[in-house]
Each structure stands twice: as structure tokens, then as C-alpha cells.
Amino acid sequence: MNYGFDEGKQGLNRIHSEDSRQLLLQLEQLLGADRVVSDPKRNEHYRKGFRSGGGDALAVIFPQHLLHMWRALQACVDAGAIIILQAANTGLTEGSTPSGSDYDRPLVIINTLQMETIHLLEGGKQVVALPGATLHRLEKLLTPIRRAPHSEIGSSCLGASIVGGIANNSGGALCQRGPAYTELALFARVNERGELQLINNLGIELGESPEEILTNLEHGTFIRVGQLPYSDNDRRPRTASDRDYVARLRDVDADTPARFNADPRRLFETSGCAGKVAVFAVRLDTFPVPERTQTFYIGSNDARVFSRLRRGLLSELPQIPILGEYLHRDMFDLAADYGRDSFYTIEKLGTRRMPKFFALKGRVDAWLAKRSFLPRFLSDRLLQQFSKLLPQHLPQRMLDYRKKYDHHLIVKVADDAIEPARSWLTAFFNASENNGEFFACTPTEASKAMLHRFVSAGAAMRYQAVHNKEVGELLPLDIALRRNDQEWQEELPAEIADQLEYRLYYGHFLCNVFHQDYILKKGADVKQVKKAMLELLERRGACYPAEHNVGHLYQAPEAQLKFFERLDPTNSFNPGIGKTDKTRRCCTCG
């Protein structure tokens, strides 16, 4: 039997040790042999990142019940193994997979997607989500009762988990809800003595022993939903969402970003934990669905106009918009050509089938990559050729704006905010200094505009894959600018610009959060370009990453490093995250 490492790799003897064999046997006894996959050919999909990265593992395991997950965790801790928690593996910075083969202990990936139950509280005003529950599942559960989850764009289409969003303080498009956040969770950690602890901060009485707590949690047998526990920091009741975010956004003169992954204000137990604890459940607020919405499509050729637009929409309306999504014309064009098949797939099949589609594509790509006689990125090439046969999918008014304007903005407002927003936009563009215009979208135009914005996130990946012989690597950055920063349009020095084939900008404009995808010229050094880019961002006072978290691609700042060490003092969970040390920390354990 092969236990996860190929012959000749560093660490072979350690991984093939008797302790590792005993751990595998114990996991098979706990979960069943069919739920412990140690063959590297069969578990490769779970060991590779969605966009990049990957590494070796002793096994990938698939517990079906919370109690099974707890017992598997205990077995791994007793064996001194590294633990990586993973759900849909849709992260973009390699944060839910191993990174390389230079770990000092055997590594086990625990995939949580089988544990997908969601419990409603207070008629759906709050939910308790188990570790494998997805945003799509939550949307489906809440729709009949006219409630909505934290996030409604992008992640739900890819099947991302609710807990994954919390663990990364993920952002999203919805201005009124802020980053994914809760202070109410049930999780396990390894303490300074190397002991596995189960901590219930859900504000729900579930019993005393781990067996009782986890069984009651899974079945929804809540002994008592009591008064919310208090925060350790300021003795206020804990919250199940970021209830301060609208006030932060409205403070347009503040000299700091509205949100970013390492924000110390939003690092709390499971929120922002980046897999440094094992999360069994989170408790979250839900939100009422508006009675009416209206989407406005806005264009301009002047970045300064959009700066004034952003400040006005946030500070001069009685209620801030639901969202404000930005696309530069270059990104518009690339998404129109290289996101067309994704657009049609989502529009025709809906989001429900997308997780299976992406999982299947991942397995096919892994199989094709082993056939050296086939061209690289064959599936992307075939899909791109197919997309050329598809008819035009974008509304004519959007295409007309594409011809006229460099900068495009999608603004969505609701209910009593609709007419004030329409009047404000009319007055804004009637002013002589504000070049540009807007139109009120029909429901079809609004849907297509948002879907076009969503598929832009994958268009650069597709372009680079299809044209990998002509262009260099893809460098994706997501950044948070200061709230008072009106110079949002990037100006690059020649020594950086000369190494770029394409610069592609899109993002959450009202939050001053941008995704910046750079396709490098052939032969350009991606590490050096990234280093220069990050230095430039630091001089501008920007923070990064804004919402994809550090993963294995970014250096975690000091506050985040200390947070990780408090959560995981022995470095048992997801070591190496944020470019930290991968080795075990002994603390006071034997």
C-alpha cells in the first residue's frame, strides 16, 4: 500500500513509519476503510489548490458525522499528526491544502463536506451551520422564508462552505453585511499541553461531554438557546455578524481600509482562524429579503468622477446601496470572450450544479495532466473553442457603454432607497464636472450584469491557460485601499508595467476593495514582480489580501501571526499558513 508520498521524496521514512501505519489503521476503524483515502492517485484532487499549490498527505478522510470527526481529530492529535481542515477547496491562496512535502510530521486532510446540516433559529433569523454546509444550501433553505445569507455572489456558485468564509473573514459584494464574521461557534483546539479541547461558544446548551454535545448539535437537539455569551475583550454580548460595517463604510474620511483579512478587529476565535482550529459549527445572522430592488449601470471615462461617486453614494444617501461592483473595460472585454461558457453554464444550469461541475473538471484536469503527450490545459482549450460557438450573451445597452466608457459600475439599491438613489445619480451626472451617465436596468439586464461581473474572476485564469505559450504567469492580487483614498486607479512605474501583458481590474468598489489580475509577459519573474507590487501597495497604505486570506502565498502580519499562535500553540493545524514555520512547537507538552 502507498501511504501518500512517492518513492524518493524527503520524509519518506517518517511517513512510512509504523506510527503512521497505525494511525491509518485507526482512522479506518473509526470511519470505515472507504472513508480513508491514502492512495495519492485517488486523493490528488483534495491535495491541490483550486488555482495553485498542493502537497503530500498521509491520507484524506471523509467523516460523515461530527462525532466521527472528533474521534478522528483525537486520533491525529494522539499520533502527533498535522491536521488540515477542508470543505469545498475553493480558496484562491492555497489555504486549505498542503504546501509541498517538507512537513516534519505525517499530515491528514479532513474533508468536511459530508456534514452539511443547517439548523434554523428564531424562524430563520439566525442559523447554526455545520462544517460542510455550503452557501448554496443556505440560500436554498432561506429562500422560502424570504431571508438571505451573508453572501450572494460568486462563492455560492462554486460551492464554498459557510465555515470556510468565516475562517477566512471572506468579503463579498454586499456592502450592508460586511465580511463573513461571527463570535458564536463550537470548535476544537490543541492547547499548550498538546491536549484536544472542545469549546462551545454557540450560546446554546448542548450537554457536557464531547459525545453528548456533538450528537445533540448534529441532530438539532438544543437543550436551551440561552443568553449570548460575552466577549472576553469588552464584556459585550457576542454577535453573529459584523454589525459595525455600515458605519465603517460611511466613514469615507478614515485613513484605514474598511475590511481586510488581517484586521485585528475581526480576528476572533473561528473568525479569521484560517484553519488553525477545527470548526464544528458557527452561528450566523440572516437578513430580510428586500421587497423591491433596482440596479443601475454606470459608466465614465474619468476615475476622479468615480471617486466622487463612491463618496457620495456612501455618505449622502439615507441608506447605502446593497452593492457596488466595478469592472474596467479591459476586464469587461476579457470576461466577454473568456467567461462566456461559464456565463451560459451558470445561467442555464443554475448554481446548484456548479460544485459538481468544478469538482469533475478538477479530476479531469488532474488525469489529463499526467498524459504528457497531450497539450497543457486541454479542457480549458476545448471549453474556449466551444464558447466561440455561443451567441452574444450581454445586453445591448451594456455593450454600448463598453464602447463609450473605460469604467463600469453596477449599483444595486432596495425599497425606500431606490428613488433617492435615482434622484441623486441624476443630479450627480447633471453636474458639468461629472463625465458619464447611467441607466436603470431591467431585471434581465441586472441579472446579466452581475453574472458578467462574477465570471470575470475566472476569465484571466482561462486566458492565461489557453495562451500559456505566448504569455507568462498570472499574478492575482486582492487589495483593500484606505477609505479616504481617492486615487484608486493604479499608476505603475515603468519597471513594473514593462513586464505586464495585461492589467485587469475589477472589485467591490464601494468597499474600496479591488481584485487586480496581472498577466505577465513571457519570461517575466513573477516573484520579483509580486515583491515590487506589494512594496508599492504598502507605500500607498493599502492592505492585502483583502478577502482571500494569506494562505501559503502571503506573509501574515504581526497581529495575525500572534492570533494564529494563540489559537494553535503547538502548530498542529495548517502549519506554514501565512509563510510561518511548519515545524511542531512543543510549548509545555511532552
Side-chain angles (χ1 to χ4, degrees), residues 56 61 77 159 184 368 457 472 499 550 560:
D56 295 307
I61 66 173
V77 171
L184 301 167
L368 292 172
Q499 300 187 67
V550 289
Q560 198 173 23

Side-chain angles (χ1 to χ4, degrees), residues 245 248-249 251 254-261 263 265 310 479-485 511-513 540-544 546:
Y245 191 66
R248 291 210 305 279
L249 267 192
D251 188 2
D255 197 37
T256 56
R259 60 175 169 90
F260 57 102
N261 291 135
D263 187 349
R265 295 171 300 185
R310 174 183 167 271
I479 68 165
L481 299 179
R482 294 172 289 119
R483 282 168 282 175
N484 65 354
D485 191 347
C511 301
N512 239 12
V513 167
R540 294 176 63 190
C543 291
Y544 57 84

